[in-house]
Amino acid sequence: MKYNLTSIVKNFKIEGNFLDGRAYGSGHIHDTFLIRTAEDTSNNYLLQRINHHVFRNIPQLMRNIEIVTKHIQKKITKSLDSKATMECLTFIPTNYEKYYYKDSSNNYWRVSIFIENSRSYDIVDCPEKAYAGGKAFGKFQAFLADLPADSLYETIPDFHNIEKRLETFYETLKADPLQRVREAQREIESVIARAEEMKSIIRLGREGKIPERVTHNDTKFNNILFDREDNPLCVIDLDTVMPGYIHYDFGDAIRTSTNSSSEDEKDLSKVSMDIKLFQAFSRGFIEETRKFLTKTEIAYLAFSAKLLAFMIGLRFLTDFIDGDKYYKIRHKYHNRQRARVQFKLLESMDEQYTEMQAIIKKIAES
Ligand code: ADP
Ligand code: GN1
Ligand code: MG
């Protein structure tokens, strides 16, 4: 799809003049463009066409992001750190004082300052990076620990509600719109076998045994921007920052930062959880969050890695059976492939589970 990027950008209060724009990044949800300005002294910008099928209420979505970024920026400014502007995303208002612009074809757009000289990693290749990532997501949590969870909207209702995800899965199996159920028998069986075990976090929450917090809910490792020396700069992709449990953030980060393969690896023999990366990420994360995490929250961190591998695998599988309506895909079996990777990763976590628990216990007690 071709968009007139110049005329879209004109609606935002950016500094400098539009030079050019091109597609950017590898996200699964939005259409992202890098907008360069003509002047060396002006920022460049990141323009996104927000996926409004996934996010149904854009004003609420952008209001959440405004609350969260302003909360973090206030704290960073206080710390007088010279890199402050890089440590948190900055969104640019439109000429009509909103943080989104709706064009005549009902597309929603937003603009943030482009963080220069940054990069993200789909695969983590050393414990140092995993540790830095743990620090980054842990710090993000710490910044928001004093923001009441109910000050934010739920941008995607029941996003991490595993019971609802399972219900949707069973309904999709029944409907089987493209007769793909027969092409995913083994994966379906592995979901059914583990469904009950995966409900423990949501039950703890319901029983009031773990607190609801402001969580990021999409802590894929590539949602951290690093600088050229591999120091973490900034946590991005704030669309799903909303009430949740700490386990959703820790688990999603572990499933992505410890997987020795990519999220859509074809050769499943390459998929496994690297325990050294698990140890390093956990150390970074717990160092930043130990002040406020409860004993019960810590006790379930290792389990949360399994939950998130299961949940994301389940979502990929459901989307495959449903005809690939949610995730961007590059070939017919892409979502099934992604699901297989998550289920293989889950097996690898099972094999190392005792060690994972011992690592968390040791870090928490040190
Ligand atoms: P999606 O939800 O589709 O994954 P993201 O918000 O994560 O979209 O953005 C897609 C990609 O764009 C990211 O993976 C990252 O590489 C890049 N990106 C996002 N925001 C910025 C920014 N402010 N500065 C530099 N790069 C960014
Ligand atoms: C999506 O937006 P992105 O690409 O960082 C998805 C996550 C999944 C992830 C799997 C809003 O993340 O929940 O874990 O893909 N985001 C949304 O790669 O559904
Ligand atoms: Mg992303």
Side-chain angles (χ1 to χ4, degrees):
M1 181 69 94
K2 268 254 175 252
Y3 299 104
N4 187 341
L5 300 180
T6 335
S7 76
I8 295 160
V9 169
K10 273 200 184 113
N11 293 282
F12 291 86
K13 288 184 173 163
I14 64 161
E15 292 168 9
N17 290 297
F18 182 97
L19 175 66
D20 57 18
R22 61 171 170 87
Y24 188 83
S26 59
H28 291 351
I29 304 293
H30 308 295
D31 294 330
T32 301
F33 304 88
L34 166 59
I35 303 296
R36 293 194 307 164
T37 52
E39 299 77 7
D40 288 345
T41 48
S42 302
N43 287 312
N44 292 319
Y45 295 91
L46 200 94
L47 169 71
Q48 286 186 313
R49 187 174 76 99
I50 308 171
N51 184 329
H52 61 268
H53 300 291
V54 168
F55 296 96
R56 309 307 288 258
N57 189 327
I58 308 291
Q60 285 185 356
L61 168 75
M62 292 313 293
R63 177 71 189 131
N64 269 12
I65 290 184
E66 191 186 343
I67 293 171
V68 167
T69 51
K70 286 185 175 160
H71 190 86
I72 296 176
Q73 274 155 358
K74 229 193 277 165
K75 295 193 176 174
I76 294 174
T77 318
K78 267 194 202 146
S79 78
L80 295 176
D81 189 324
S82 60
K83 284 190 301 184
T85 50
M86 308 288 241
E87 275 188 47
C88 180
L89 289 180
T90 306
F91 283 84
I92 306 296
T94 62
N95 300 325
Y96 330 102
E97 301 303 333
K98 289 197 164 79
Y99 282 92
Y100 61 90
Y101 163 70
K102 190 177 178 187
D103 69 19
S104 52
S105 317
N106 292 332
N107 292 306
Y108 289 85
W109 299 87
R110 68 179 168 202
V111 169
S112 59
I113 295 179
F114 182 72
I115 300 186
E116 301 286 348
N117 300 317
S118 67
R119 56 168 306 178
S120 57
Y121 293 96
D122 291 331
I123 301 181
V124 180
D125 60 2
C126 62
E128 290 74 23
K129 258 181 223 141
Y131 174 73
K135 287 280 226 202
F137 281 134
K139 221 170 164 185
F140 185 84
Q141 274 293 333
F143 277 142
L144 297 172
D146 60 342
L147 181 67
D150 62 6
S151 40
L152 298 179
Y153 296 105
E154 220 180 329
T155 55
I156 302 180
D158 295 315
F159 188 57
H160 277 144
N161 181 331
I162 192 65
E163 294 170 343
K164 288 270 166 59
R165 293 283 182 193
L166 283 162
E167 273 170 34
T168 307
F169 169 70
Y170 293 129
E171 281 161 19
T172 311
L173 288 188
K174 229 193 220 160
D176 195 13
L178 298 177
Q179 284 82 53
R180 286 184 172 179
V181 164
R182 62 192 154 101
E183 294 188 286
Q185 279 307 320
R186 233 171 354 120
E187 292 72 30
I188 293 169
E189 278 162 27
S190 60
V191 167
I192 294 170
R194 312 199 61 146
E196 274 315 298
E197 160 199 5
M198 293 298 161
K199 295 177 186 169
S200 52
I201 298 287
I202 202 160
R203 285 186 184 134
L204 285 174
R206 231 179 352 242
E207 291 160 7
K209 292 183 178 151
I210 50 173
E212 200 166 51
R213 301 181 176 281
V214 172
T215 47
H216 182 286
N217 296 303
D218 193 0
T219 48
K220 243 162 111 161
F221 198 83
N222 69 10
N223 281 330
I224 305 169
L225 297 183
F226 286 85
D227 70 13
R228 293 251 190 261
E229 280 81 46
D230 284 338
N231 301 306
L233 280 173
C234 179
V235 169
I236 61 165
D237 211 341
L238 306 178
D239 302 319
T240 48
V241 181
M242 58 180 158
Y245 301 120
I246 193 80
H247 304 96
Y248 300 151
D249 282 6
F250 184 80
D252 207 11
I254 292 297
R255 98 178 162 83
T256 48
S257 58
T258 67
N259 184 354
S260 50
S261 83
S262 70
E263 206 178 47
D264 53 6
E265 176 59 57
K266 282 203 179 72
D267 179 356
L268 291 181
S269 70
K270 293 191 183 148
V271 180
S272 67
M273 193 204 69
D274 183 329
I275 196 82
K276 287 208 174 65
L277 299 179
F278 176 82
Q279 206 264 350
F281 183 94
S282 303
R283 194 160 57 81
F285 188 86
I286 294 173
E287 278 175 10
E288 295 293 332
T289 54
R290 63 181 348 137
K291 297 179 281 299
F292 54 88
L293 291 189
T294 67
K295 279 209 170 72
T296 313
E297 286 182 301
I298 290 173
Y300 280 83
L301 288 180
F303 172 77
S304 73
K306 296 208 275 184
L307 171 63
L308 266 290
F310 177 84
M311 178 136 42
I312 307 298
L314 173 67
R315 288 175 57 198
F316 285 142
L317 184 62
T318 307
D319 200 35
F320 169 70
I321 296 166
D322 198 30
D324 309 306
K325 294 191 183 128
Y326 190 91
Y327 291 108
K328 292 184 183 177
I329 51 158
R330 285 190 299 278
H331 57 85
K332 181 179 164 192
Y333 291 103
H334 205 164
N335 271 319
R336 189 181 69 176
Q337 194 57 48
R338 289 168 171 155
R340 285 183 174 166
V341 169
Q342 293 308 308
F343 296 146
K344 177 73 197 301
L345 188 64
L346 181 53
E347 280 172 27
S348 173
M349 289 174 180
D350 270 339
E351 286 159 14
Q352 303 177 82
Y353 193 51
T354 313
E355 208 177 333
M356 288 164 72
Q357 284 177 301
I359 286 170
I360 298 286
K361 191 162 180 277
K362 192 166 165 210
I363 298 170
E365 285 168 1
S366 64

